[in-house]
């Protein structure tokens, strides 16, 4: 139970690994700015006023795709940069199982990928397979679950195959229209279906076939990704609240208000009926 509670991919109260790994860089950046008296510069964040209300189109139930992928890939970047060691498994090693026909350099394990490189790789897969933002969040959950369960690290030699395996599994479990292994072979031209199947099987075995993501865990990862965005000046897209959007929000709020009123009335009726039943039982007990 204690091991479960310390695992963020299983328990909602455990802190996400990526956010804790990113804090080291955030603290150093703030300390450097303070010592060198670096100004934060012109504020780029938009604020609502009496004349204009800015909203973003990202919610926990409908995240913005582009912003979510940027945050997820930044989380992966911090995992690689601030890893504890280079523990890995052969099935994820890119030298043993290359994704392309290009020869992998001998020093491939020495060079950490930058955020843009990781983003381009993930963005290509999501765009070609038409995956959703929810899938990106679940990908990160599966990735951290793999690192915890298998006791390995994501590093330059294995990050592409680990990310690919997590995306493959997340798209099958969470997207309505699953993308099959053969479809990924059309995106990554040089990889074989047999390799994809073997990697998926190992991934599932290392996860102990635990592919469940509770709503509370999903929500925690979403809000921690937003915190990561704030710490790294990756603001979610904002747009002025239009008249049409305002009317839509008002209609939804009225619908929800009516729904909760009906639920409240039903609860009161049940409570009243229960009180009457208790009163009748007490009266019968007194009479007897």
């Amino acid at each position: 139970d204690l091991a479960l509670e310390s695992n963020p991919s299983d328990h909602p109260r455990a802190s996400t690994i990526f956010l804790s790994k990113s804090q080291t860089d955030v603290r150093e950046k703030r300390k450097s700015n303070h010592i060198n008296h670096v100004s934060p510069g012109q504020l780029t964040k938009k604020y609502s006023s009496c004349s204009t209300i800015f909203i973003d189109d990202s919610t926990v139930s409908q995240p913005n795709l582009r912003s979510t992928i940027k945050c997820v890939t930044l989380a992966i970047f911090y995992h690689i940069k601030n890893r504890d060691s280079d523990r890995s498994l052969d099935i994820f090693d890119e030298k043993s199982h290359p994704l392309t026909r290009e020869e992998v350099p001998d020093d491939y394990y020495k060079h950490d990928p930058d955020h843009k490189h990781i983003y381009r790789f993930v963005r290509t897969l999501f765009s070609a397979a038409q995956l959703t933002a929810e899938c990106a969040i679940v990908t990160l959950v599966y990735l951290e679950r793999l690192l915890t369960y298998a006791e390995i690290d994501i590093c330059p030699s294995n990050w592409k195959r680990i990310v690919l395996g997590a995306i493959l599994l997340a798209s099958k479990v969470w997207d309505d229209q699953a993308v099959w292994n053969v479809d990924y072979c059309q995106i990554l031209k040089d990889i074989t279906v047999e390799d994809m199947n073997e990697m998926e099987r190992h991934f599932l075995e290392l996860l102990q076939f635990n592919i469940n993501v509770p709503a509370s865990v999903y929500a925690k990862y979403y809000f921690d990704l937003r915190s990561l965005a704030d710490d790294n000046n990756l603001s979610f897209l904002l747009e002025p609240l239009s008249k049409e959007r305002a009317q839509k929000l008002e209609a939804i709020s009225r619908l929800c208000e009516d729904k909760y009123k009906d639920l409240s009335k039903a609860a009161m009726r049940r409570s009243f009926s229960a009180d009457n039943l208790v009163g009748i039982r007490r009266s019968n007990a007194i009479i007897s």
Side-chain angles (χ1 to χ4, degrees):
D1 292 338
L2 289 174
L4 176 66
E5 290 190 4
S6 63
N7 188 347
S9 65
D10 288 321
H11 201 279
R13 288 200 296 269
S15 301
T16 53
I17 303 172
F18 72 84
L19 194 61
S20 61
K21 286 186 177 293
S22 71
Q23 292 307 302
T24 303
D25 285 38
V26 171
R27 285 193 294 267
E28 289 179 357
K29 189 184 297 182
R30 289 173 179 170
K31 183 179 179 181
S32 176
N33 289 343
H34 177 72
I35 293 174
N36 298 316
H37 305 286
V38 176
S39 171
Q42 186 178 359
L43 294 175
T44 57
K45 191 171 182 179
K46 297 179 180 179
Y47 293 90
S48 299
S49 64
C50 296
S51 59
T52 307
I53 298 176
F54 288 102
I55 58 173
D56 64 47
D57 62 347
S58 182
T59 64
V60 69
S61 60
Q62 290 183 327
N64 176 269
L65 178 60
R66 183 181 177 187
S67 299
T68 302
I69 293 177
K70 277 189 175 181
C71 293
V72 168
T73 51
L74 184 62
I76 296 170
F77 166 78
Y78 278 121
H79 261 291
I80 299 171
K81 181 181 179 183
N82 297 325
R83 63 189 182 276
D84 298 323
S85 60
D86 291 309
R87 299 170 299 174
S88 188
L89 294 170
D90 180 71
I91 188 62
F92 299 121
D93 192 292
E94 200 173 341
K95 186 77 170 178
S96 304
H97 303 274
L99 296 178
T100 64
R101 293 180 183 177
E102 296 179 8
E103 186 176 354
V104 179
D106 293 333
D107 60 346
Y108 69 109
Y109 58 90
K110 294 181 180 179
H111 305 290
D112 292 354
D114 58 20
H115 179 216
K116 289 183 179 179
H117 187 187
I118 302 171
Y119 175 78
R120 284 195 297 269
F121 177 76
V122 175
R123 179 67 180 174
T124 299
L125 292 174
F126 269 72
S127 178
Q130 297 183 344
L131 303 178
T132 63
E134 294 88 343
C135 182
I137 296 173
V138 175
T139 294
L140 185 58
V141 176
Y142 286 160
L143 186 146
E144 292 207 338
R145 186 172 293 173
L146 175 77
L147 301 183
T148 307
Y149 281 26
E151 297 182 345
I152 61 175
D153 302 281
I154 185 167
C155 52
S157 63
N158 65 15
W159 73 269
K160 282 187 179 179
R161 290 182 63 85
I162 287 179
V163 170
L164 177 60
I167 292 173
L168 170 66
L169 192 58
S171 64
K172 285 187 176 181
V173 175
W174 291 94
D175 273 357
D176 293 333
Q177 294 182 342
V179 182
W180 304 108
N181 295 5
V182 67
D183 297 321
Y184 286 100
C185 294
Q186 299 296 322
I187 303 170
L188 303 169
K189 302 290 185 181
D190 299 327
I191 195 170
T192 65
V193 178
E194 291 76 19
D195 185 16
M196 293 285 289
N197 292 342
E198 185 184 6
M199 183 172 62
E200 180 185 15
R201 180 173 58 82
H202 276 81
F203 207 108
L204 280 167
E205 289 176 354
L206 291 168
L207 290 186
Q208 301 171 24
F209 296 93
N210 178 15
I211 57 174
N212 179 48
V213 179
S216 53
V217 170
Y218 174 90
K220 175 187 65 179
Y221 272 80
Y222 170 79
F223 287 112
D224 278 6
L225 284 169
R226 293 202 68 131
S227 298
L228 183 71
D230 289 340
D231 291 340
N232 290 271
N233 298 321
L234 289 178
S235 58
F236 280 66
L237 297 174
L238 294 174
E239 60 180 15
L241 179 63
S242 63
K243 182 179 179 181
E244 293 76 14
R245 185 77 180 270
Q247 290 173 342
K248 185 177 179 181
L249 290 173
E250 186 178 0
I252 293 172
S253 65
R254 284 176 182 166
L255 184 65
C256 292
E257 185 179 5
D258 293 339
K259 180 180 177 181
Y260 288 124
K261 281 181 179 178
D262 293 339
L263 290 173
S264 178
K265 289 178 181 177
M268 290 179 64
R269 284 196 297 268
R270 286 196 297 270
S271 177
F272 180 73
S273 300
D275 291 342
N276 285 346
L277 182 59
V278 171
I280 292 170
R281 286 177 177 172
R282 285 177 179 173
S283 300
N284 291 339
I286 294 170
I287 292 170
S288 60

